[in-house]
């Protein structure tokens, strides 16, 4: 009985960990944000909920006033209109009320902007993302050997060779041939620009709360710290030409040990390093089969 209980717990843990890797991507009829993978995105989710406590009552209040005016002060019910020119109390209320509401919204919004825009000291990883029509180039800076590679949208014909036939894990029009790989729980400094002769793009990763313009001749800076391993998908979010919709962003968050091994191998052979990393990541799902064998 104890073996069965441990096996069940292990299976549940593996399934939950595997599911988290598939969560950070768009879903059909999605109306809310993607699950937060960083502290910044958690704060964005909180701020959205916070603002709704103001937006919904104000919207309903204005709706009630409109209905009241239409019904009570229509021509047939109010043939002699009021000639009141002002009301001191109403003037004070509709001036002081919005001021207080704006203050209540401004304080947490400034705190959120400060969290987003203030770069942490001594980041663990620095990556430069350069946009061109219509792909991304990633440069890992500060390592023993330079690492730079392009990231294109994965074509259907290339899926078998890349080992990415699973559309749930590698969705169509979002999966890429070479993902940006980062370690979990580490601060990543991201430098974003566009090629000098290109157009404006935007690097957007919804689960991280990251969205920053890639402007030719300008180097913008942002950061993120992913708190959960898995695959995360974003897109270019600035209209950049005819293939704007085919310029996805893929970021794979792995353990520090997996990241170190991948970084050491990627400089010599990126393709083989990616395959070895995928095999290492996917081997974790086999723990479910091991648990099932134990229970038998």
């Amino acid at each position: 009985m104890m073996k069965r209980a441990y096996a069940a717990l292990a299976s549940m843990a593996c399934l939950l960990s595997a599911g988290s890797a598939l969560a950070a991507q768009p879903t059909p009829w999605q109306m809310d944000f993607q699950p937060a993978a960083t502290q910044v995105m958690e704060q964005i989710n909180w701020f959205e909920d916070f603002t709704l406590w103001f937006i919904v009552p104000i919207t309903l209040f204005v709706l009630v006033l409109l209905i009241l005016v239409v019904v009570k002060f229509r021509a047939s019910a109010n043939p002699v209109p009021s000639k009141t020119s002002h009301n001191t109390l109403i003037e004070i209320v509709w001036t002081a009320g919005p001021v207080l509401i704006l203050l209540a919204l401004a304080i947490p919004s400034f705190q959120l902007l400060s969290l987003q825009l203030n770069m942490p000291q001594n980041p663990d990883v620095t990556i430069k993302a350069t946009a061109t029509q219509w792909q991304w180039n990633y440069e890992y800076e500060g390592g023993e050997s330079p690492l730079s590679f392009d990231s294109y949208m994965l074509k259907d014909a290339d899926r078998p060779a890349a080992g990415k036939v699973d559309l749930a894990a590698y969705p169509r029009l979002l999966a890429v041939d070479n993902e940006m790989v980062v370690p979990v729980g580490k601060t990543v400094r991201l430098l974003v620009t566009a090629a000098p002769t290109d157009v404006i793009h935007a690097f957007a990763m919804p689960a991280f709360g990251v969205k920053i313009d890639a402007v030719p001749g300008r180097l913008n800076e942002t950061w993120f710290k992913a708190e959960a391993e898995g695959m995360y998908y974003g897109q270019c979010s600035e209209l950049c030409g005819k293939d704007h919709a085919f310029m996805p962003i893929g970021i794979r968050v792995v353990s520090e040990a997996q990241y170190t091994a991948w970084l050491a191998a990627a400089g010599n052979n990126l393709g083989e390093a990616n395959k070895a990393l995928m095999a290492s990541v996917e081997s974790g799902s086999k723990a479910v089969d091991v648990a099932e064998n134990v229970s038998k």
Side-chain angles (χ1 to χ4, degrees), residues 47-64:
F47 187 65
E48 183 214 15
D49 295 337
F50 179 72
T51 56
L52 287 177
W53 285 100
F54 296 88
I55 294 172
V56 173
I58 291 172
T59 302
L60 294 177
F61 177 67
V62 173
L63 177 62
V64 170

Side-chain angles (χ1 to χ4, degrees), residues 12-206:
M12 290 176 63
C14 292
L15 287 172
L16 289 173
S17 63
S20 64
L22 306 180
Q25 57 179 274
T27 57
W29 299 99
Q30 184 174 1
M31 297 182 65
D32 54 353
F33 292 132
Q34 294 182 18
T38 66
Q39 180 187 1
V40 171
M41 191 59 205
E42 289 177 356
Q43 291 297 314
I44 292 174
N45 285 336
W46 176 88
F47 187 65
E48 183 214 15
D49 295 337
F50 179 72
T51 56
L52 287 177
W53 285 100
F54 296 88
I55 294 172
V56 173
I58 291 172
T59 302
L60 294 177
F61 177 67
V62 173
L63 177 62
V64 170
L65 288 180
L66 287 173
I67 294 174
L68 180 65
V69 169
V70 169
V71 174
K72 186 175 180 180
F73 297 102
R74 68 186 189 277
S76 58
N78 190 43
V80 181
S82 172
K83 295 183 179 181
T84 302
S85 60
H86 69 280
N87 184 296
T88 303
L89 178 60
I90 292 178
E91 295 282 353
I92 293 174
V93 170
W94 73 30
T95 301
V99 169
L100 295 176
I101 292 172
L102 289 176
L103 281 175
L105 294 174
I107 293 173
S109 70
F110 289 152
Q111 293 173 338
L112 177 57
L113 286 173
S114 177
L115 178 63
Q116 289 179 302
L117 300 178
N118 288 337
M119 288 295 302
Q121 298 294 321
N122 303 318
D124 300 292
V125 181
T126 298
I127 303 174
K128 181 181 179 182
T130 303
T132 60
Q133 293 173 313
W134 286 273
Q135 53 92 23
W136 295 91
N137 173 271
Y138 300 125
E139 299 177 47
Y140 285 69
E141 302 182 357
E144 296 180 359
S145 59
L147 174 61
S148 175
F149 57 87
D150 293 331
S151 180
Y152 289 89
M153 185 182 71
L154 184 65
K155 298 180 180 179
D156 290 340
D158 298 332
R159 284 180 176 273
K164 298 177 179 179
V165 294
D166 184 2
L167 291 176
Y170 304 101
R172 183 174 176 271
L173 303 182
L174 284 178
V176 298
D177 55 355
N178 300 312
E179 298 95 2
M180 179 195 296
V181 180
V182 298
V184 68
K186 298 295 183 179
T187 300
V188 178
R189 177 184 181 222
L190 187 63
L191 306 176
V192 181
T193 187
T197 58
D198 213 88
V199 299
I200 299 177
H201 301 267
F203 188 100
M205 181 57 60

